[in-house]
PDB file of all heavy atoms in Angstrom:
ATOM      1  N   GLY U  29     106.241 117.187  93.420  1.00  0.00           N
ATOM      2  CA  GLY U  29     105.451 118.247  93.991  1.00  0.00           C
ATOM      3  C   GLY U  29     106.000 119.646  93.791  1.00  0.00           C
ATOM      4  O   GLY U  29     105.280 120.577  93.529  1.00  0.00           O
ATOM      5  N   SER U  30     107.339 119.801  93.868  1.00  0.00           N
ATOM      6  CA  SER U  30     107.963 121.109  93.754  1.00  0.00           C
ATOM      7  C   SER U  30     108.579 121.357  92.374  1.00  0.00           C
ATOM      8  O   SER U  30     109.163 122.412  92.138  1.00  0.00           O
ATOM      9  CB  SER U  30     109.051 121.254  94.804  1.00  0.00           C
ATOM     10  OG  SER U  30     110.032 120.251  94.660  1.00  0.00           O
ATOM     11  N   LEU U  31     108.421 120.419  91.460  1.00  0.00           N
ATOM     12  CA  LEU U  31     109.001 120.571  90.126  1.00  0.00           C
ATOM     13  C   LEU U  31     108.071 121.282  89.191  1.00  0.00           C
ATOM     14  O   LEU U  31     106.839 121.114  89.276  1.00  0.00           O
ATOM     15  CB  LEU U  31     109.372 119.194  89.546  1.00  0.00           C
ATOM     16  CG  LEU U  31     110.540 118.427  90.178  1.00  0.00           C
ATOM     17  CD1 LEU U  31     110.698 117.093  89.477  1.00  0.00           C
ATOM     18  CD2 LEU U  31     111.841 119.231  90.054  1.00  0.00           C
ATOM     19  N   ASP U  32     108.642 122.048  88.274  1.00  0.00           N
ATOM     20  CA  ASP U  32     107.841 122.604  87.173  1.00  0.00           C
ATOM     21  C   ASP U  32     107.466 121.469  86.235  1.00  0.00           C
ATOM     22  O   ASP U  32     108.241 120.534  86.025  1.00  0.00           O
ATOM     23  CB  ASP U  32     108.657 123.662  86.432  1.00  0.00           C
ATOM     24  CG  ASP U  32     107.781 124.363  85.384  1.00  0.00           C
ATOM     25  OD1 ASP U  32     107.056 125.297  85.715  1.00  0.00           O
ATOM     26  OD2 ASP U  32     107.844 123.926  84.223  1.00  0.00           O
ATOM     27  N   PHE U  33     106.279 121.539  85.665  1.00  0.00           N
ATOM     28  CA  PHE U  33     105.792 120.457  84.829  1.00  0.00           C
ATOM     29  C   PHE U  33     106.728 120.159  83.659  1.00  0.00           C
ATOM     30  O   PHE U  33     106.876 119.012  83.255  1.00  0.00           O
ATOM     31  CB  PHE U  33     104.397 120.850  84.284  1.00  0.00           C
ATOM     32  CG  PHE U  33     103.589 119.682  83.827  1.00  0.00           C
ATOM     33  CD1 PHE U  33     103.121 118.726  84.700  1.00  0.00           C
ATOM     34  CD2 PHE U  33     103.285 119.558  82.469  1.00  0.00           C
ATOM     35  CE1 PHE U  33     102.380 117.661  84.278  1.00  0.00           C
ATOM     36  CE2 PHE U  33     102.537 118.493  82.028  1.00  0.00           C
ATOM     37  CZ  PHE U  33     102.083 117.532  82.930  1.00  0.00           C
ATOM     38  N   THR U  34     107.391 121.191  83.157  1.00  0.00           N
ATOM     39  CA  THR U  34     108.274 121.001  82.004  1.00  0.00           C
ATOM     40  C   THR U  34     109.565 120.301  82.364  1.00  0.00           C
ATOM     41  O   THR U  34     110.328 119.893  81.511  1.00  0.00           O
ATOM     42  CB  THR U  34     108.586 122.346  81.325  1.00  0.00           C
ATOM     43  OG1 THR U  34     109.173 123.217  82.300  1.00  0.00           O
ATOM     44  CG2 THR U  34     107.312 122.981  80.802  1.00  0.00           C
ATOM     45  N   ASP U  35     109.869 120.204  83.688  1.00  0.00           N
ATOM     46  CA  ASP U  35     111.109 119.561  84.128  1.00  0.00           C
ATOM     47  C   ASP U  35     110.941 118.050  84.336  1.00  0.00           C
ATOM     48  O   ASP U  35     111.923 117.362  84.649  1.00  0.00           O
ATOM     49  CB  ASP U  35     111.596 120.186  85.438  1.00  0.00           C
ATOM     50  CG  ASP U  35     111.972 121.655  85.254  1.00  0.00           C
ATOM     51  OD1 ASP U  35     112.425 121.995  84.118  1.00  0.00           O
ATOM     52  OD2 ASP U  35     111.832 122.447  86.199  1.00  0.00           O
ATOM     53  N   VAL U  36     109.728 117.537  84.200  1.00  0.00           N
ATOM     54  CA  VAL U  36     109.473 116.114  84.458  1.00  0.00           C
ATOM     55  C   VAL U  36     109.736 115.322  83.202  1.00  0.00           C
ATOM     56  O   VAL U  36     109.316 115.694  82.101  1.00  0.00           O
ATOM     57  CB  VAL U  36     108.011 115.917  84.911  1.00  0.00           C
ATOM     58  CG1 VAL U  36     107.730 114.447  85.164  1.00  0.00           C
ATOM     59  CG2 VAL U  36     107.713 116.724  86.157  1.00  0.00           C
ATOM     60  N   HIS U  37     110.474 114.220  83.327  1.00  0.00           N
ATOM     61  CA  HIS U  37     110.724 113.333  82.206  1.00  0.00           C
ATOM     62  C   HIS U  37     109.684 112.209  82.210  1.00  0.00           C
ATOM     63  O   HIS U  37     109.581 111.440  83.154  1.00  0.00           O
ATOM     64  CB  HIS U  37     112.148 112.746  82.305  1.00  0.00           C
ATOM     65  CG  HIS U  37     113.229 113.766  82.227  1.00  0.00           C
ATOM     66  ND1 HIS U  37     113.336 114.653  81.165  1.00  0.00           N
ATOM     67  CD2 HIS U  37     114.255 114.063  83.069  1.00  0.00           C
ATOM     68  CE1 HIS U  37     114.383 115.448  81.347  1.00  0.00           C
ATOM     69  NE2 HIS U  37     114.947 115.094  82.502  1.00  0.00           N
ATOM     70  N   MET U  38     108.959 112.148  81.128  1.00  0.00           N
ATOM     71  CA  MET U  38     107.833 111.209  81.071  1.00  0.00           C
ATOM     72  C   MET U  38     108.324 109.759  81.081  1.00  0.00           C
ATOM     73  O   MET U  38     107.665 108.872  81.653  1.00  0.00           O
ATOM     74  CB  MET U  38     106.989 111.473  79.835  1.00  0.00           C
ATOM     75  CG  MET U  38     105.729 110.678  79.824  1.00  0.00           C
ATOM     76  SD  MET U  38     104.589 111.235  78.535  1.00  0.00           S
ATOM     77  CE  MET U  38     103.263 110.048  78.760  1.00  0.00           C
ATOM     78  N   GLY U  39     109.471 109.499  80.428  1.00  0.00           N
ATOM     79  CA  GLY U  39     109.990 108.139  80.427  1.00  0.00           C
ATOM     80  C   GLY U  39     110.313 107.650  81.829  1.00  0.00           C
ATOM     81  O   GLY U  39     110.015 106.508  82.217  1.00  0.00           O
ATOM     82  N   VAL U  40     110.913 108.524  82.640  1.00  0.00           N
ATOM     83  CA  VAL U  40     111.248 108.175  84.036  1.00  0.00           C
ATOM     84  C   VAL U  40     109.955 107.950  84.840  1.00  0.00           C
ATOM     85  O   VAL U  40     109.845 106.993  85.604  1.00  0.00           O
ATOM     86  CB  VAL U  40     112.094 109.282  84.661  1.00  0.00           C
ATOM     87  CG1 VAL U  40     112.327 108.981  86.143  1.00  0.00           C
ATOM     88  CG2 VAL U  40     113.404 109.443  83.944  1.00  0.00           C
ATOM     89  N   LEU U  41     108.973 108.832  84.629  1.00  0.00           N
ATOM     90  CA  LEU U  41     107.702 108.705  85.346  1.00  0.00           C
ATOM     91  C   LEU U  41     107.033 107.366  85.010  1.00  0.00           C
ATOM     92  O   LEU U  41     106.555 106.658  85.877  1.00  0.00           O
ATOM     93  CB  LEU U  41     106.778 109.862  84.980  1.00  0.00           C
ATOM     94  CG  LEU U  41     105.321 109.775  85.479  1.00  0.00           C
ATOM     95  CD1 LEU U  41     105.278 109.831  86.989  1.00  0.00           C
ATOM     96  CD2 LEU U  41     104.480 110.881  84.863  1.00  0.00           C
ATOM     97  N   THR U  42     106.989 107.041  83.712  1.00  0.00           N
ATOM     98  CA  THR U  42     106.345 105.785  83.287  1.00  0.00           C
ATOM     99  C   THR U  42     107.066 104.588  83.868  1.00  0.00           C
ATOM    100  O   THR U  42     106.417 103.614  84.288  1.00  0.00           O
ATOM    101  CB  THR U  42     106.321 105.709  81.731  1.00  0.00           C
ATOM    102  OG1 THR U  42     105.765 106.909  81.203  1.00  0.00           O
ATOM    103  CG2 THR U  42     105.492 104.530  81.286  1.00  0.00           C
ATOM    104  N   ASN U  43     108.397 104.617  83.873  1.00  0.00           N
ATOM    105  CA  ASN U  43     109.129 103.494  84.452  1.00  0.00           C
ATOM    106  C   ASN U  43     108.859 103.368  85.946  1.00  0.00           C
ATOM    107  O   ASN U  43     108.858 102.269  86.498  1.00  0.00           O
ATOM    108  CB  ASN U  43     110.652 103.671  84.187  1.00  0.00           C
ATOM    109  CG  ASN U  43     111.054 103.139  82.830  1.00  0.00           C
ATOM    110  OD1 ASN U  43     110.423 102.206  82.325  1.00  0.00           O
ATOM    111  ND2 ASN U  43     112.090 103.692  82.265  1.00  0.00           N
ATOM    112  N   GLN U  44     108.675 104.494  86.632  1.00  0.00           N
ATOM    113  CA  GLN U  44     108.343 104.428  88.046  1.00  0.00           C
ATOM    114  C   GLN U  44     106.971 103.781  88.251  1.00  0.00           C
ATOM    115  O   GLN U  44     106.784 102.992  89.171  1.00  0.00           O
ATOM    116  CB  GLN U  44     108.333 105.842  88.650  1.00  0.00           C
ATOM    117  CG  GLN U  44     109.738 106.435  88.820  1.00  0.00           C
ATOM    118  CD  GLN U  44     109.699 107.833  89.410  1.00  0.00           C
ATOM    119  OE1 GLN U  44     108.885 108.670  89.003  1.00  0.00           O
ATOM    120  NE2 GLN U  44     110.576 108.121  90.340  1.00  0.00           N
ATOM    121  N   ILE U  45     106.038 104.127  87.386  1.00  0.00           N
ATOM    122  CA  ILE U  45     104.695 103.492  87.481  1.00  0.00           C
ATOM    123  C   ILE U  45     104.809 102.007  87.225  1.00  0.00           C
ATOM    124  O   ILE U  45     104.202 101.201  87.954  1.00  0.00           O
ATOM    125  CB  ILE U  45     103.743 104.180  86.464  1.00  0.00           C
ATOM    126  CG1 ILE U  45     103.466 105.612  86.897  1.00  0.00           C
ATOM    127  CG2 ILE U  45     102.433 103.392  86.383  1.00  0.00           C
ATOM    128  CD1 ILE U  45     102.603 106.411  85.914  1.00  0.00           C
ATOM    129  N   LEU U  46     105.585 101.608  86.214  1.00  0.00           N
ATOM    130  CA  LEU U  46     105.759 100.174  85.942  1.00  0.00           C
ATOM    131  C   LEU U  46     106.437  99.473  87.090  1.00  0.00           C
ATOM    132  O   LEU U  46     106.129  98.297  87.378  1.00  0.00           O
ATOM    133  CB  LEU U  46     106.537  99.982  84.631  1.00  0.00           C
ATOM    134  CG  LEU U  46     105.845 100.420  83.343  1.00  0.00           C
ATOM    135  CD1 LEU U  46     106.703 100.104  82.150  1.00  0.00           C
ATOM    136  CD2 LEU U  46     104.470  99.751  83.210  1.00  0.00           C
ATOM    137  N   GLY U  47     107.368 100.185  87.747  1.00  0.00           N
ATOM    138  CA  GLY U  47     108.028  99.605  88.907  1.00  0.00           C
ATOM    139  C   GLY U  47     107.048  99.346  90.049  1.00  0.00           C
ATOM    140  O   GLY U  47     107.100  98.290  90.703  1.00  0.00           O
ATOM    141  N   ILE U  48     106.110 100.267  90.231  1.00  0.00           N
ATOM    142  CA  ILE U  48     105.085 100.086  91.262  1.00  0.00           C
ATOM    143  C   ILE U  48     104.188  98.887  90.914  1.00  0.00           C
ATOM    144  O   ILE U  48     103.827  98.066  91.757  1.00  0.00           O
ATOM    145  CB  ILE U  48     104.246 101.378  91.424  1.00  0.00           C
ATOM    146  CG1 ILE U  48     105.084 102.478  92.070  1.00  0.00           C
ATOM    147  CG2 ILE U  48     102.996 101.098  92.253  1.00  0.00           C
ATOM    148  CD1 ILE U  48     104.423 103.788  92.133  1.00  0.00           C
ATOM    149  N   LEU U  49     103.852  98.765  89.627  1.00  0.00           N
ATOM    150  CA  LEU U  49     103.054  97.613  89.176  1.00  0.00           C
ATOM    151  C   LEU U  49     103.789  96.292  89.475  1.00  0.00           C
ATOM    152  O   LEU U  49     103.173  95.320  89.960  1.00  0.00           O
ATOM    153  CB  LEU U  49     102.753  97.701  87.669  1.00  0.00           C
ATOM    154  CG  LEU U  49     101.815  98.798  87.220  1.00  0.00           C
ATOM    155  CD1 LEU U  49     101.688  98.781  85.695  1.00  0.00           C
ATOM    156  CD2 LEU U  49     100.436  98.664  87.843  1.00  0.00           C
ATOM    157  N   ARG U  50     105.099  96.298  89.210  1.00  0.00           N
ATOM    158  CA  ARG U  50     105.875  95.083  89.429  1.00  0.00           C
ATOM    159  C   ARG U  50     105.944  94.729  90.929  1.00  0.00           C
ATOM    160  O   ARG U  50     105.798  93.577  91.309  1.00  0.00           O
ATOM    161  CB  ARG U  50     107.286  95.248  88.849  1.00  0.00           C
ATOM    162  CG  ARG U  50     108.132  93.972  88.903  1.00  0.00           C
ATOM    163  CD  ARG U  50     109.458  94.125  88.225  1.00  0.00           C
ATOM    164  NE  ARG U  50     110.328  95.018  88.952  1.00  0.00           N
ATOM    165  CZ  ARG U  50     110.719  96.222  88.498  1.00  0.00           C
ATOM    166  NH1 ARG U  50     110.288  96.647  87.349  1.00  0.00           N
ATOM    167  NH2 ARG U  50     111.519  96.986  89.216  1.00  0.00           N
ATOM    168  N   VAL U  51     106.192  95.742  91.757  1.00  0.00           N
ATOM    169  CA  VAL U  51     106.300  95.496  93.205  1.00  0.00           C
ATOM    170  C   VAL U  51     104.982  94.934  93.774  1.00  0.00           C
ATOM    171  O   VAL U  51     105.009  94.049  94.645  1.00  0.00           O
ATOM    172  CB  VAL U  51     106.679  96.797  93.944  1.00  0.00           C
ATOM    173  CG1 VAL U  51     106.505  96.653  95.445  1.00  0.00           C
ATOM    174  CG2 VAL U  51     108.117  97.192  93.602  1.00  0.00           C
ATOM    175  N   HIS U  52     103.879  95.409  93.261  1.00  0.00           N
ATOM    176  CA  HIS U  52     102.560  94.964  93.778  1.00  0.00           C
ATOM    177  C   HIS U  52     102.005  93.797  92.975  1.00  0.00           C
ATOM    178  O   HIS U  52     100.808  93.467  93.116  1.00  0.00           O
ATOM    179  CB  HIS U  52     101.568  96.130  93.792  1.00  0.00           C
ATOM    180  CG  HIS U  52     101.889  97.134  94.839  1.00  0.00           C
ATOM    181  ND1 HIS U  52     101.378  97.084  96.107  1.00  0.00           N
ATOM    182  CD2 HIS U  52     102.717  98.254  94.818  1.00  0.00           C
ATOM    183  CE1 HIS U  52     101.841  98.077  96.847  1.00  0.00           C
ATOM    184  NE2 HIS U  52     102.657  98.836  96.087  1.00  0.00           N
ATOM    185  N   HIS U  53     102.834  93.212  92.106  1.00  0.00           N
ATOM    186  CA  HIS U  53     102.468  92.005  91.337  1.00  0.00           C
ATOM    187  C   HIS U  53     101.194  92.240  90.502  1.00  0.00           C
ATOM    188  O   HIS U  53     100.284  91.416  90.471  1.00  0.00           O
ATOM    189  CB  HIS U  53     102.277  90.822  92.288  1.00  0.00           C
ATOM    190  CG  HIS U  53     103.446  90.548  93.174  1.00  0.00           C
ATOM    191  ND1 HIS U  53     104.648  90.084  92.690  1.00  0.00           N
ATOM    192  CD2 HIS U  53     103.638  90.733  94.522  1.00  0.00           C
ATOM    193  CE1 HIS U  53     105.523  89.951  93.700  1.00  0.00           C
ATOM    194  NE2 HIS U  53     104.924  90.370  94.798  1.00  0.00           N
ATOM    195  N   ILE U  54     101.154  93.413  89.884  1.00  0.00           N
ATOM    196  CA  ILE U  54     100.050  93.751  88.960  1.00  0.00           C
ATOM    197  C   ILE U  54     100.579  93.616  87.555  1.00  0.00           C
ATOM    198  O   ILE U  54     101.629  94.158  87.186  1.00  0.00           O
ATOM    199  CB  ILE U  54      99.565  95.190  89.212  1.00  0.00           C
ATOM    200  CG1 ILE U  54      99.084  95.360  90.670  1.00  0.00           C
ATOM    201  CG2 ILE U  54      98.453  95.538  88.237  1.00  0.00           C
ATOM    202  CD1 ILE U  54      98.721  96.777  91.026  1.00  0.00           C
ATOM    203  N   GLY U  55      99.870  92.848  86.707  1.00  0.00           N
ATOM    204  CA  GLY U  55     100.299  92.601  85.357  1.00  0.00           C
ATOM    205  C   GLY U  55     100.285  93.850  84.509  1.00  0.00           C
ATOM    206  O   GLY U  55      99.562  94.818  84.800  1.00  0.00           O
ATOM    207  N   CYS U  56     101.074  93.846  83.447  1.00  0.00           N
ATOM    208  CA  CYS U  56     101.180  95.018  82.565  1.00  0.00           C
ATOM    209  C   CYS U  56     101.034  94.582  81.094  1.00  0.00           C
ATOM    210  O   CYS U  56     101.717  93.663  80.681  1.00  0.00           O
ATOM    211  CB  CYS U  56     102.538  95.697  82.785  1.00  0.00           C
ATOM    212  SG  CYS U  56     102.873  97.045  81.651  1.00  0.00           S
ATOM    213  N   PRO U  57     100.176  95.233  80.336  1.00  0.00           N
ATOM    214  CA  PRO U  57     100.043  94.903  78.893  1.00  0.00           C
ATOM    215  C   PRO U  57     101.387  95.153  78.195  1.00  0.00           C
ATOM    216  O   PRO U  57     102.107  96.106  78.521  1.00  0.00           O
ATOM    217  CB  PRO U  57      98.970  95.872  78.398  1.00  0.00           C
ATOM    218  CG  PRO U  57      98.236  96.299  79.614  1.00  0.00           C
ATOM    219  CD  PRO U  57      99.226  96.275  80.750  1.00  0.00           C
ATOM    220  N   SER U  58     101.708  94.305  77.214  1.00  0.00           N
ATOM    221  CA  SER U  58     103.014  94.437  76.520  1.00  0.00           C
ATOM    222  C   SER U  58     103.106  95.781  75.793  1.00  0.00           C
ATOM    223  O   SER U  58     104.195  96.354  75.693  1.00  0.00           O
ATOM    224  CB  SER U  58     103.186  93.277  75.547  1.00  0.00           C
ATOM    225  OG  SER U  58     102.122  93.251  74.583  1.00  0.00           O
ATOM    226  N   GLY U  59     101.975  96.290  75.288  1.00  0.00           N
ATOM    227  CA  GLY U  59     102.018  97.546  74.583  1.00  0.00           C
ATOM    228  C   GLY U  59     102.391  98.709  75.500  1.00  0.00           C
ATOM    229  O   GLY U  59     103.114  99.619  75.090  1.00  0.00           O
ATOM    230  N   LEU U  60     101.995  98.631  76.755  1.00  0.00           N
ATOM    231  CA  LEU U  60     102.340  99.694  77.705  1.00  0.00           C
ATOM    232  C   LEU U  60     103.811  99.633  78.044  1.00  0.00           C
ATOM    233  O   LEU U  60     104.469 100.674  78.185  1.00  0.00           O
ATOM    234  CB  LEU U  60     101.490  99.540  78.961  1.00  0.00           C
ATOM    235  CG  LEU U  60     101.695 100.608  80.019  1.00  0.00           C
ATOM    236  CD1 LEU U  60     101.288 101.982  79.507  1.00  0.00           C
ATOM    237  CD2 LEU U  60     100.906 100.281  81.291  1.00  0.00           C
ATOM    238  N   ALA U  61     104.386  98.431  78.181  1.00  0.00           N
ATOM    239  CA  ALA U  61     105.808  98.326  78.476  1.00  0.00           C
ATOM    240  C   ALA U  61     106.633  98.842  77.288  1.00  0.00           C
ATOM    241  O   ALA U  61     107.637  99.539  77.483  1.00  0.00           O
ATOM    242  CB  ALA U  61     106.161  96.857  78.751  1.00  0.00           C
ATOM    243  N   MET U  62     106.210  98.545  76.071  1.00  0.00           N
ATOM    244  CA  MET U  62     106.910  99.062  74.894  1.00  0.00           C
ATOM    245  C   MET U  62     106.792 100.587  74.815  1.00  0.00           C
ATOM    246  O   MET U  62     107.742 101.286  74.477  1.00  0.00           O
ATOM    247  CB  MET U  62     106.332  98.434  73.639  1.00  0.00           C
ATOM    248  CG  MET U  62     107.139  98.708  72.371  1.00  0.00           C
ATOM    249  SD  MET U  62     106.474  97.868  70.918  1.00  0.00           S
ATOM    250  CE  MET U  62     106.790  96.156  71.320  1.00  0.00           C
ATOM    251  N   PHE U  63     105.637 101.095  75.227  1.00  0.00           N
ATOM    252  CA  PHE U  63     105.431 102.548  75.267  1.00  0.00           C
ATOM    253  C   PHE U  63     106.425 103.196  76.239  1.00  0.00           C
ATOM    254  O   PHE U  63     106.992 104.249  75.928  1.00  0.00           O
ATOM    255  CB  PHE U  63     103.980 102.826  75.703  1.00  0.00           C
ATOM    256  CG  PHE U  63     103.781 104.136  76.388  1.00  0.00           C
ATOM    257  CD1 PHE U  63     103.637 105.300  75.649  1.00  0.00           C
ATOM    258  CD2 PHE U  63     103.718 104.224  77.768  1.00  0.00           C
ATOM    259  CE1 PHE U  63     103.450 106.534  76.287  1.00  0.00           C
ATOM    260  CE2 PHE U  63     103.528 105.444  78.407  1.00  0.00           C
ATOM    261  CZ  PHE U  63     103.397 106.597  77.650  1.00  0.00           C
ATOM    262  N   ALA U  64     106.641 102.590  77.398  1.00  0.00           N
ATOM    263  CA  ALA U  64     107.541 103.158  78.391  1.00  0.00           C
ATOM    264  C   ALA U  64     108.967 103.293  77.841  1.00  0.00           C
ATOM    265  O   ALA U  64     109.609 104.320  77.962  1.00  0.00           O
ATOM    266  CB  ALA U  64     107.543 102.289  79.654  1.00  0.00           C
ATOM    267  N   ARG U  65     109.448 102.229  77.214  1.00  0.00           N
ATOM    268  CA  ARG U  65     110.805 102.266  76.639  1.00  0.00           C
ATOM    269  C   ARG U  65     110.882 103.216  75.462  1.00  0.00           C
ATOM    270  O   ARG U  65     111.859 103.935  75.271  1.00  0.00           O
ATOM    271  CB  ARG U  65     111.235 100.855  76.260  1.00  0.00           C
ATOM    272  CG  ARG U  65     112.675 100.757  75.767  1.00  0.00           C
ATOM    273  CD  ARG U  65     113.666 101.277  76.771  1.00  0.00           C
ATOM    274  NE  ARG U  65     113.682 100.541  78.012  1.00  0.00           N
ATOM    275  CZ  ARG U  65     114.512 100.764  78.997  1.00  0.00           C
ATOM    276  NH1 ARG U  65     115.422 101.754  78.905  1.00  0.00           N
ATOM    277  NH2 ARG U  65     114.463 100.076  80.124  1.00  0.00           N
ATOM    278  N   GLY U  66     109.829 103.251  74.631  1.00  0.00           N
ATOM    279  CA  GLY U  66     109.809 104.154  73.484  1.00  0.00           C
ATOM    280  C   GLY U  66     109.838 105.608  73.883  1.00  0.00           C
ATOM    281  O   GLY U  66     110.549 106.427  73.307  1.00  0.00           O
TER     282      GLY U  66
END
């Protein structure tokens, strides 16, 4: 909320989203997981 947009790391954000998917037992396409690490 208080960060400048340019200070956000997209890889960290994507991993946080995947973490939420995992906690709520929501499946994830393999291409999206590879995208996160890439």
